[in-house]
Each structure stands twice: as C-alpha cells, then as structure tokens.
Amino acid sequence: EVQLQASGGGLVQAGGSLRLSCAASGFSFDDVAIGWFRQAPGKELEGVSCFSSSDGNTYYADSVKDRFTISTDNAKNTVYLQMNSLKPEDTAVYYCAAEYGPRDGDNWFDTGMDYWGKGTQVTVSS
C-alpha cells in the first residue's frame, strides 16, 4: 500500500524558511513523479513543484521559482521541499502526491496524481 506522510509545516514570518518532508512507503523512487501541491483558502489546488525520477528533472511554479527547491533522499524514501524567502501569499495547505511514471514540462502541475498524503499547513505572517 502506497502511503505518503507530509510534515514540516508551521507558522513563519515573511522572509523566513521552512522545509517540508514527505515520507513515502509502499513504493520506490525508481520511476515515479512526486509533487508538491498547495491550496490556499478560497483558491484551487495548484502545483508547486515536481520531481520526475526517470530523468531527474524538476519543475517549479513561476511563483516559487528561485525560492523553493525540491529534493529527494532515496535511502529514506523521502522528498523535501525547501522553502526560502517565504511570502504571505505562500500561506496554504501543502500536499505531497505521487504516481508511477514520468511527468514533463507540459503536465507536471496536473493535480490528477494517484497517491496523496494528508496536508501540512504553512502560514506566513507579514
């Protein structure tokens, strides 16, 4: 059974940093796409970042590019999202999600992934 467990959210001041973790079980990182998504109050779920293990490519939303970094620790089956220079508009519930197979620049942000973890709240105060 595939399970994803996100953690690391919290309250931080604008300009601060947080690192989210997503511990995965039930599958390996051999040929998967693992993404971070977020949903702010009153807004739709949106893609934040994605890692496609088949080619090692990473993808980011324009709004987080150069501030957020996605990375993996294959030995721990864990995906991280390092978030720096946080802004109040980054406030949202963050979810990690995964599916078998690759994603690319045209579909990395698609919210139709097969496996989802429970969200972790990130709140950035101004």
Side-chain angles (χ1 to χ4, degrees):
E1 179 186 6
V2 174
Q3 290 188 335
L4 301 170
Q5 180 67 50
S7 61
L11 173 63
V12 65
Q13 288 189 329
S17 298
L18 283 174
R19 188 178 78 159
L20 305 184
S21 300
C22 176
S25 61
F27 71 97
S28 70
F29 287 4
D30 287 339
D31 185 15
V32 295
I34 302 174
W36 287 97
F37 298 80
R38 68 185 182 187
Q39 188 165 28
K43 294 190 176 181
E44 292 186 353
L45 188 66
E46 64 172 353
V48 176
S49 181
C50 183
F51 170 73
S52 186
S53 69
S54 61
D55 54 16
N57 283 340
T58 57
Y59 305 95
Y60 298 93
D62 288 343
S63 59
V64 307
K65 209 168 286 184
D66 299 325
R67 298 189 298 123
F68 291 10
T69 303
I70 190 169
S71 62
T72 63
D73 184 333
N74 288 4
K76 295 182 178 180
N77 251 32
T78 299
V79 180
Y80 303 99
L81 185 69
Q82 179 67 43
M83 306 186 296
N84 299 329
S85 302
L86 282 161
K87 304 176 180 180
E89 50 263 45
D90 294 318
T91 295
V93 178
Y94 284 70
Y95 301 89
C96 63
E99 66 183 19
Y100 290 107
R103 285 210 170 183
D104 59 27
D106 293 328
N107 68 359
W108 71 265
F109 46 83
D110 190 327
T111 59
M113 285 205 172
D114 293 328
Y115 306 103
W116 289 80
K118 292 184 179 178
T120 184
Q121 176 72 47
V122 172
T123 303
V124 184
S125 63
S126 57

